[in-house]
mmCIF file of all heavy atoms in Angstrom:
data_model
loop_
_atom_site.group_PDB
_atom_site.id
_atom_site.type_symbol
_atom_site.label_atom_id
_atom_site.label_comp_id
_atom_site.label_asym_id
_atom_site.label_seq_id
_atom_site.Cartn_x
_atom_site.Cartn_y
_atom_site.Cartn_z
ATOM 1 N N LEU P 34 77.031 138.461 216.114
ATOM 2 C CA LEU P 34 76.093 137.442 215.795
ATOM 3 C C LEU P 34 76.114 137.111 214.352
ATOM 4 O O LEU P 34 76.158 136.029 213.903
ATOM 5 C CB LEU P 34 74.627 137.870 216.265
ATOM 6 C CG LEU P 34 73.496 136.939 215.882
ATOM 7 C CD1 LEU P 34 73.537 135.692 216.739
ATOM 8 C CD2 LEU P 34 72.212 137.644 216.016
ATOM 9 N N VAL P 35 76.050 138.206 213.472
ATOM 10 C CA VAL P 35 76.030 137.952 212.129
ATOM 11 C C VAL P 35 77.419 137.432 211.568
ATOM 12 O O VAL P 35 77.437 136.469 210.842
ATOM 13 C CB VAL P 35 75.648 139.222 211.305
ATOM 14 C CG1 VAL P 35 75.800 139.090 209.797
ATOM 15 C CG2 VAL P 35 74.201 139.595 211.621
ATOM 16 N N SER P 36 78.448 138.010 211.951
ATOM 17 C CA SER P 36 79.719 137.710 211.424
ATOM 18 C C SER P 36 80.251 136.310 211.766
ATOM 19 O O SER P 36 80.977 135.671 211.162
ATOM 20 C CB SER P 36 80.822 138.708 211.852
ATOM 21 O OG SER P 36 81.034 138.680 213.228
ATOM 22 N N CYS P 37 79.725 135.804 212.947
ATOM 23 C CA CYS P 37 80.186 134.534 213.461
ATOM 24 C C CYS P 37 79.216 133.351 213.279
ATOM 25 O O CYS P 37 79.625 132.176 213.544
ATOM 26 C CB CYS P 37 80.637 134.601 214.939
ATOM 27 S SG CYS P 37 82.095 135.637 215.071
ATOM 28 N N THR P 38 78.008 133.650 212.986
ATOM 29 C CA THR P 38 77.004 132.522 212.910
ATOM 30 C C THR P 38 76.374 132.374 211.558
ATOM 31 O O THR P 38 75.799 131.348 211.317
ATOM 32 C CB THR P 38 75.841 132.764 213.965
ATOM 33 O OG1 THR P 38 75.175 133.988 213.612
ATOM 34 C CG2 THR P 38 76.349 132.790 215.325
ATOM 35 N N VAL P 39 76.567 133.330 210.705
ATOM 36 C CA VAL P 39 75.942 133.250 209.391
ATOM 37 C C VAL P 39 76.986 132.834 208.356
ATOM 38 O O VAL P 39 78.090 133.268 208.397
ATOM 39 C CB VAL P 39 75.362 134.577 208.897
ATOM 40 C CG1 VAL P 39 74.819 134.549 207.458
ATOM 41 C CG2 VAL P 39 74.154 134.974 209.921
ATOM 42 N N ASN P 40 76.637 131.897 207.539
ATOM 43 C CA ASN P 40 77.573 131.397 206.472
ATOM 44 C C ASN P 40 77.970 132.558 205.599
ATOM 45 O O ASN P 40 77.123 133.382 205.162
ATOM 46 C CB ASN P 40 76.841 130.311 205.679
ATOM 47 C CG ASN P 40 77.764 129.714 204.531
ATOM 48 O OD1 ASN P 40 78.722 130.283 204.151
ATOM 49 N ND2 ASN P 40 77.286 128.538 204.150
ATOM 50 N N PRO P 41 79.263 132.664 205.394
ATOM 51 C CA PRO P 41 79.814 133.832 204.577
ATOM 52 C C PRO P 41 79.135 133.855 203.098
ATOM 53 O O PRO P 41 79.135 134.876 202.449
ATOM 54 C CB PRO P 41 81.266 133.623 204.483
ATOM 55 C CG PRO P 41 81.643 132.816 205.651
ATOM 56 C CD PRO P 41 80.394 131.889 205.893
ATOM 57 N N LEU P 42 78.663 132.761 202.639
ATOM 58 C CA LEU P 42 78.104 132.699 201.323
ATOM 59 C C LEU P 42 76.708 133.190 201.328
ATOM 60 O O LEU P 42 76.088 133.506 200.228
ATOM 61 C CB LEU P 42 78.136 131.311 200.692
ATOM 62 C CG LEU P 42 79.577 130.716 200.505
ATOM 63 C CD1 LEU P 42 79.559 129.340 200.035
ATOM 64 C CD2 LEU P 42 80.396 131.623 199.572
ATOM 65 N N ASP P 43 76.041 133.281 202.533
ATOM 66 C CA ASP P 43 74.730 133.836 202.630
ATOM 67 C C ASP P 43 74.915 135.309 202.904
ATOM 68 O O ASP P 43 75.819 135.764 203.541
ATOM 69 C CB ASP P 43 74.019 133.158 203.772
ATOM 70 C CG ASP P 43 73.643 131.692 203.548
ATOM 71 O OD1 ASP P 43 73.405 131.382 202.312
ATOM 72 O OD2 ASP P 43 73.557 130.926 204.505
ATOM 73 N N SER P 44 73.907 136.099 202.580
ATOM 74 C CA SER P 44 73.937 137.505 202.787
ATOM 75 C C SER P 44 73.081 137.883 203.930
ATOM 76 O O SER P 44 71.835 137.520 203.992
ATOM 77 C CB SER P 44 73.486 138.366 201.534
ATOM 78 O OG SER P 44 74.299 138.146 200.521
ATOM 79 N N ALA P 45 73.594 138.528 204.975
ATOM 80 C CA ALA P 45 72.798 138.951 206.081
ATOM 81 C C ALA P 45 73.450 140.174 206.709
ATOM 82 O O ALA P 45 74.718 140.238 206.853
ATOM 83 C CB ALA P 45 72.784 137.848 207.170
ATOM 84 N N VAL P 46 72.628 141.156 207.057
ATOM 85 C CA VAL P 46 73.157 142.413 207.575
ATOM 86 C C VAL P 46 72.187 142.795 208.672
ATOM 87 O O VAL P 46 70.942 142.866 208.508
ATOM 88 C CB VAL P 46 73.193 143.552 206.527
ATOM 89 C CG1 VAL P 46 73.646 144.921 207.130
ATOM 90 C CG2 VAL P 46 74.105 143.262 205.418
ATOM 91 N N ILE P 47 72.735 143.114 209.854
ATOM 92 C CA ILE P 47 71.964 143.758 210.899
ATOM 93 C C ILE P 47 72.553 145.140 211.013
ATOM 94 O O ILE P 47 73.744 145.380 211.321
ATOM 95 C CB ILE P 47 72.039 143.094 212.323
ATOM 96 C CG1 ILE P 47 71.380 141.634 212.125
ATOM 97 C CG2 ILE P 47 71.442 143.842 213.363
ATOM 98 C CD1 ILE P 47 71.477 140.830 213.372
ATOM 99 N N SER P 48 71.700 146.151 210.892
ATOM 100 C CA SER P 48 72.110 147.574 210.926
ATOM 101 C C SER P 48 71.363 148.234 212.055
ATOM 102 O O SER P 48 70.059 148.199 212.118
ATOM 103 C CB SER P 48 71.821 148.310 209.562
ATOM 104 O OG SER P 48 72.462 147.713 208.557
ATOM 105 N N ILE P 49 72.069 148.936 212.900
ATOM 106 C CA ILE P 49 71.393 149.828 213.868
ATOM 107 C C ILE P 49 71.636 151.241 213.323
ATOM 108 O O ILE P 49 72.688 151.716 213.301
ATOM 109 C CB ILE P 49 72.101 149.744 215.299
ATOM 110 C CG1 ILE P 49 72.030 148.257 215.770
ATOM 111 C CG2 ILE P 49 71.405 150.631 216.325
ATOM 112 C CD1 ILE P 49 70.608 147.608 215.881
ATOM 113 N N GLY P 50 70.511 151.803 212.899
ATOM 114 C CA GLY P 50 70.579 153.110 212.255
ATOM 115 C C GLY P 50 70.349 154.289 213.237
ATOM 116 O O GLY P 50 70.685 155.492 212.876
ATOM 117 N N LYS P 51 69.846 154.021 214.386
ATOM 118 C CA LYS P 51 69.514 155.135 215.315
ATOM 119 C C LYS P 51 69.751 154.587 216.707
ATOM 120 O O LYS P 51 69.288 153.590 217.104
ATOM 121 C CB LYS P 51 68.101 155.608 215.109
ATOM 122 C CG LYS P 51 67.696 156.692 216.020
ATOM 123 C CD LYS P 51 66.256 157.152 215.817
ATOM 124 C CE LYS P 51 65.865 158.289 216.698
ATOM 125 N NZ LYS P 51 64.451 158.637 216.512
#
Side-chain angles (χ1 to χ4, degrees):
L34 175 74
V35 172
S36 66
C37 292
T38 61
V39 176
N40 184 338
L42 299 177
D43 293 330
S44 295
V46 176
I47 294 179
S48 300
I49 304 301
K51 181 178 179 181

